[in-house]
Amino acid sequence: MKILALCGSLQAESTNLALLRTAAAAAPPGVDVELFDGVRDLPLFNPDIESRRAAPEAVRVWREAMAACDGVLIASPEYGHSLPGALKNAIDWLIGSGELESKVVAVTASTAGPGRGVLGLRALRTTLGAVKAMIVGGEPTVRSADFDRDVAALVKALVAAIAAARQAEIDAEPD
Ligand SMILES: Cc1cc2nc3c(=O)[nH]c(=O)nc-3n(C[C@H](O)[C@H](O)[C@H](O)COP(=O)(O)O)c2cc1C
């Protein structure tokens, strides 16, 4: 099972990136959590770009990575009571092309205390609704003594949701 891990922050010392590394370490055997570091390389979304020529290389790489994964884990900060522009831009590049459609997506934010990051995650969930993503979690993860345990629980819930979605697909296939 392959999980694509996406960080909404572009900072080198990102606390959300650290959360994703904790998640990768907590993944059970047979589950590969792969960090996608190409969000920063994407041009600003503009449908004119593709109407004139083929999609830029960074967009192609992004779409291929999304198409190749079984599920997604996003850890993102809140900026200005919303999701970061870079993350919204990355998602916008997938809305027309479909690689994120109906995917199982776990979302969280690494936060310093209760109440932080909630509006950012709400905005992120609204955007993911545009591609009918199946949301897992959706609440911030406070950097407390329970942080590692909470991150591991989110990974477990994501893996279970991916397995359930796979089974539902198999069950829906005609005999
Ligand atoms: C310009 C700016 C705007 C921010 N806006 C918010 C906000 O609206 N709500 C909030 O809870 N935190 C806000 N923050 C705090 C960030 O969410 C916080 O620093 C977060 O840890 C950054 O994530 P990172 O450590 O993964 O880079 C803001 C930070 C910056 C620099």
Side-chain angles (χ1 to χ4, degrees):
M1 187 184 284
K2 189 185 268 192
I3 293 172
L4 196 67
L6 285 181
C7 187
S9 169
L10 304 183
Q11 288 201 108
E13 301 295 319
S14 162
T15 56
N16 285 284
L17 186 57
L19 185 153
L20 295 176
R21 293 200 173 113
T22 301
V31 176
D32 182 23
V33 178
E34 189 183 292
L35 185 72
F36 182 80
D37 192 31
V39 167
R40 69 186 72 247
D41 300 326
L42 295 167
L44 289 177
F45 177 66
N46 178 352
D48 288 349
I49 295 175
E50 279 189 290
S51 68
R52 286 194 216 109
R53 58 181 172 88
E57 175 68 4
V59 174
R60 199 184 55 72
V61 168
W62 169 226
R63 288 175 175 166
E64 278 180 10
M66 186 56 69
C69 73
D70 300 296
V72 183
L73 170 61
I74 302 179
S76 177
E78 175 177 314
Y79 288 154
H81 291 182
S82 192
L83 73 161
L87 180 58
K88 175 68 165 62
N89 183 58
I91 295 170
D92 285 347
W93 275 109
L94 304 177
I95 288 176
S97 52
E99 294 82 1
L100 192 53
E101 196 70 29
S102 302
K103 275 247 153 86
V104 181
V105 183
V107 295
T108 190
S110 171
T111 59
R116 303 295 299 273
V118 175
L119 297 176
L121 290 178
R122 189 183 296 168
L124 175 56
R125 291 199 306 269
T126 299
T127 294
L128 290 171
V131 288
K132 300 185 192 70
M134 206 179 299
I135 304 291
V136 175
E139 299 304 319
T141 307
V142 177
R143 295 191 290 278
S144 68
D146 294 331
F147 182 78
D148 285 16
R149 189 202 63 184
D150 292 347
V151 172
L154 183 62
V155 172
K156 194 174 171 192
L158 174 59
V159 169
I162 293 168
R166 266 188 191 168
Q167 190 57 49
E169 262 177 40
I170 292 167
D171 293 347
E173 278 169 15
D175 293 330

